[in-house]
């Protein structure tokens, strides 16, 4: 009977986790992808209502990093919008880039995160951005935690494989931010002990 059972997903708390998150290797390579995740797509980054309020409150602390065009778009669209699926997301502009971005030496970066790194604010960026390329879909009874493999992230895959960095380790900080330290300890145990 042992050979008949094969684990296809893992559940920790309310999170149902794709095994890709434990098995795949990944590490962002901004020099090669140029911040494509902030640009690519037909809608903005998923955010919570609380995050939208936080972004609006902190806007004066990161506004200086934005172009005049983006500032005008924020005035026009607001700090969050509903996409075609009815989900709350960050507004997008131009060639589908997030309205909260700026370009630094050819790399698209997050103005919110810049203010965070400059210690002006304590909020780094929306958790969905921090977790990318992990995407979480929240249902009433569970969260589906999946690895979204996109062509724009091929440099990140190459970098992860070259350096031997598992996706679950690379995204330790945002996973703890989302689910807590005890949850992450269980994930670590599973990743290190399950025969996948």
């Amino acid at each position: 009977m042992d050979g008949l059972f094969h684990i296809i997903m893992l559940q920790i708390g309310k999170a149902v986790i794709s095994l890709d998150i434990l098995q795949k290797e990944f590490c962002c390579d901004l020099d090669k992808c140029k911040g494509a995740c902030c640009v690519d797509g037909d809608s903005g980054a998923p955010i919570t209502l609380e995050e939208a309020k936080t972004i609006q409150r902190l806007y004066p602390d990161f506004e200086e990093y934005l172009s005049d065009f983006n500032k005008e778009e924020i005035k026009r669209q607001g700090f969050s919008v509903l996409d075609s699926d009815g989900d709350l997301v960050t507004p997008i502009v131009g060639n589908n880039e997030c309205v909260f971005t700026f370009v630094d030496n050819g790399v698209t970066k997050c103005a919110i995160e810049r203010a965070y790194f400059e210690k002006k604010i304590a909020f780094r960026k929306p958790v969905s951005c921090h977790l990318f390329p992990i995407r979480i879909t929240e249902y009433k009874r569970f969260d589906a935690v999946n690895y979204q493999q996109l062509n724009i992230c091929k440099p990140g895959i190459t970098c992860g494989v070259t350096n031997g960095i598992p996706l679950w380790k690379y995204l330790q900080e945002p996973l703890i931010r989302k689910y807590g330290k005890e949850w992450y300890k269980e994930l670590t145990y599973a990743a290190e002990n399950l025969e996948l």
Side-chain angles (χ1 to χ4, degrees):
M1 293 292 287
D2 290 344
L4 297 177
F5 295 98
H6 180 68
I7 298 171
I8 56 171
M9 284 183 285
L10 172 70
Q11 182 164 1
I12 301 174
K14 67 177 289 191
V16 177
I17 305 150
S18 163
L19 293 190
D20 281 347
I21 288 164
L22 303 184
Q23 296 171 324
K24 301 292 185 179
E25 294 174 316
F26 188 89
C27 179
C28 283
D29 190 345
L30 278 177
D31 288 336
K32 296 215 173 122
C33 76
K34 306 298 182 187
C37 62
C38 296
V39 178
D40 190 71
D42 54 7
S43 72
I47 56 174
T48 65
L49 183 58
E50 188 59 38
E51 285 177 327
K53 291 176 181 176
T54 298
I55 290 167
Q56 182 172 1
R57 177 173 52 82
L58 297 174
Y59 181 62
D61 295 311
F62 65 84
E63 179 184 14
E64 65 183 287
Y65 308 124
L66 299 172
S67 69
D68 289 340
F69 180 79
N70 283 31
K71 291 174 189 176
E72 286 302 315
E73 283 298 307
I74 291 167
K75 284 180 186 175
R76 188 175 71 80
Q77 296 188 55
F79 294 90
S80 61
V81 296
L82 293 176
D83 68 7
S84 58
D85 295 324
D87 296 322
L88 195 65
V89 296
T90 60
I92 56 174
V93 296
N95 297 320
N96 298 333
E97 71 265 20
C98 174
V99 76
F100 302 119
T101 60
F102 68 99
V103 178
D104 178 25
N105 291 322
V107 178
T108 301
K109 296 182 178 179
C110 176
I112 303 168
E113 190 169 48
R114 179 171 174 180
Y116 170 83
F117 284 135
E118 292 183 359
K119 303 198 183 306
K120 294 181 177 180
I121 59 176
F123 177 77
R124 180 164 177 173
K125 56 184 171 182
V127 73
S128 71
C129 301
H130 203 179
L131 279 166
F132 193 79
I134 287 178
R135 278 285 186 237
I136 297 175
T137 306
E138 296 184 356
Y139 299 98
K140 284 185 179 178
R141 295 187 179 179
F142 68 95
D143 291 354
V145 184
N146 291 295
Y147 170 32
Q148 187 174 18
Q149 298 184 58
L150 300 173
N151 285 335
I152 60 169
C153 288
K154 281 185 177 177
I157 295 169
T158 301
C159 185
V161 170
T162 300
N163 293 289
I165 303 171
L167 178 62
W168 64 274
K169 280 190 179 179
Y170 176 70
L171 293 176
Q172 175 180 347
E173 183 181 342
L175 284 168
I176 289 173
R177 178 180 168 192
K178 177 69 178 175
Y179 292 115
K181 289 181 180 178
E182 288 305 313
W183 183 94
Y184 189 79
K185 281 182 186 175
E186 290 188 48
L187 182 71
T188 300
Y189 181 85
E192 293 176 347
N193 292 282
L194 284 179
E195 293 184 13
L196 304 172

